[in-house]
Amino acid sequence: MDFFEAVHTRRSIKHYDKNAQMPESSFQQMMQAVMLSPTSYNIQHWRFVRVTDRQLRQQLQQAAWGQSQVGDASELIILCADIAAWQKNPERYWAESDEETRNILLPMINDFYAGKEQIQRDEAMRSCGMAAQTLMLAAKSLAYDSCPMVGFDVDDVASLINLPQGHVIAMMVAIGKAIEPAHKRSGQLPASQIIMENTF
Ligand SMILES: Cc1cc2nc3c(=O)[nH]c(=O)nc-3n(C[C@H](O)[C@H](O)[C@H](O)COP(=O)(O)O)c2cc1C
């Protein structure tokens, strides 16, 4: 599928065919694309929880105020991030670059994040946002629908997936085959209200 067709036809789908399964090869192809999403300093701090356990799906659906896409979609992925990944053996993020580049970048990573909790958390959310869009467009390209979600009790979900200390949950994405089309688009703001030239 052409990139722009994927962008235009991706919609947030709420109702899924419970019996549809995504072939494992498609799932892997989609996730390989997701893992190429950009991260600042290449820290790749996203951690994706693929929920395959049906009972856990039901519990997560309850934590998401009953939203049926959590239980019914073919795949449910919880996009999390390790906030402290920047300081966990950061040389692995530049393992294939030359030594000179590594020697410049590693102290920069430290200076950028050390002691700056807000930036560390912002970065996690930024990276997960970009990964989520890659995920949804990859799904669409493979003829699957999706729904990004933050409509859930984050503490309940954290507890259900044993979210480790120092990690955050950015969102969930449900992926599957629609049984009902999306609502008509609710109204896009005109570009004149959104795109500035040079300054606000
Ligand atoms: C971060 C985020 C969280 C969202 N959470 C939910 C959700 O919990 N449940 C839901 O049905 N839709 C959710 N949506 C979908 C939005 O309602 C939807 O993206 C928006 O209305 C635009 O429609 P479209 O995605 O079909 O273009 C979420 C979207 C985003 C980006």
Side-chain angles (χ1 to χ4, degrees), residues 48-95:
F48 304 105
V49 179
R50 176 189 190 184
V51 184
T52 55
D53 183 297
R54 298 315 302 186
Q55 195 189 346
L56 180 55
R57 283 279 206 106
Q58 294 311 315
Q59 292 169 306
L60 288 165
Q61 184 173 343
Q62 280 173 21
W65 309 313
Q67 295 191 77
S68 67
Q69 58 272 50
V70 176
D72 294 348
S74 310
E75 297 286 345
L76 182 77
I77 299 171
I78 306 174
L79 285 81
C80 310
D82 180 354
I83 290 183
W86 60 274
Q87 60 183 348
K88 295 180 178 166
N89 305 325
E91 56 283 352
R92 64 198 159 126
Y93 313 137
W94 293 90

Side-chain angles (χ1 to χ4, degrees), residues 12-196:
S12 293
I13 293 295
K14 326 272 180 190
H15 300 288
Y16 290 89
D17 178 352
K18 282 184 193 174
N19 300 314
Q21 288 184 351
M22 185 179 233
E24 185 61 23
S25 58
S26 299
F27 180 81
Q28 294 302 336
Q29 188 181 6
M30 184 174 72
M31 294 311 294
Q32 289 300 320
V34 171
M35 287 162 60
L36 293 177
S37 303
T39 52
S40 181
Y41 292 107
N42 200 35
I43 57 180
Q44 301 162 71
H45 47 167
W46 1 250
R47 302 291 180 261
F48 304 105
V49 179
R50 176 189 190 184
V51 184
T52 55
D53 183 297
R54 298 315 302 186
Q55 195 189 346
L56 180 55
R57 283 279 206 106
Q58 294 311 315
Q59 292 169 306
L60 288 165
Q61 184 173 343
Q62 280 173 21
W65 309 313
Q67 295 191 77
S68 67
Q69 58 272 50
V70 176
D72 294 348
S74 310
E75 297 286 345
L76 182 77
I77 299 171
I78 306 174
L79 285 81
C80 310
D82 180 354
I83 290 183
W86 60 274
Q87 60 183 348
K88 295 180 178 166
N89 305 325
E91 56 283 352
R92 64 198 159 126
Y93 313 137
W94 293 90
E96 286 162 35
S97 63
D98 56 70
E99 201 182 334
E100 196 186 340
T101 309
R102 256 199 317 276
N103 289 341
I104 295 170
L105 278 162
L106 294 181
M108 281 173 74
I109 296 179
N110 191 67
D111 291 349
F112 196 81
Y113 294 109
K116 299 174 191 157
E117 285 177 16
Q118 171 87 44
I119 291 179
Q120 293 168 23
R121 193 185 163 89
D122 288 350
E123 205 70 87
M125 296 302 175
R126 267 194 281 275
S127 299
C128 285
M130 282 187 278
Q133 184 71 343
T134 307
L135 178 61
M136 294 186 290
L137 293 179
K140 194 74 224 179
S141 300
L142 293 165
Y144 285 82
D145 300 294
S146 62
C147 188
M149 301 180 64
V150 288
F152 54 84
D153 185 301
V154 78
D155 294 330
D156 287 354
V157 172
S159 154
L160 285 166
I161 64 170
N162 295 329
L163 186 78
Q165 195 72 26
H167 289 53
V168 280
I169 297 175
M171 71 184 91
M172 295 179 184
V173 177
I175 295 168
K177 294 285 188 185
I179 49 169
E180 279 180 32
H183 299 301
K184 184 172 166 286
R185 282 193 192 276
S186 59
Q188 302 305 118
L189 295 177
S192 59
Q193 287 180 25
I194 296 174
I195 304 169
M196 322 305 154

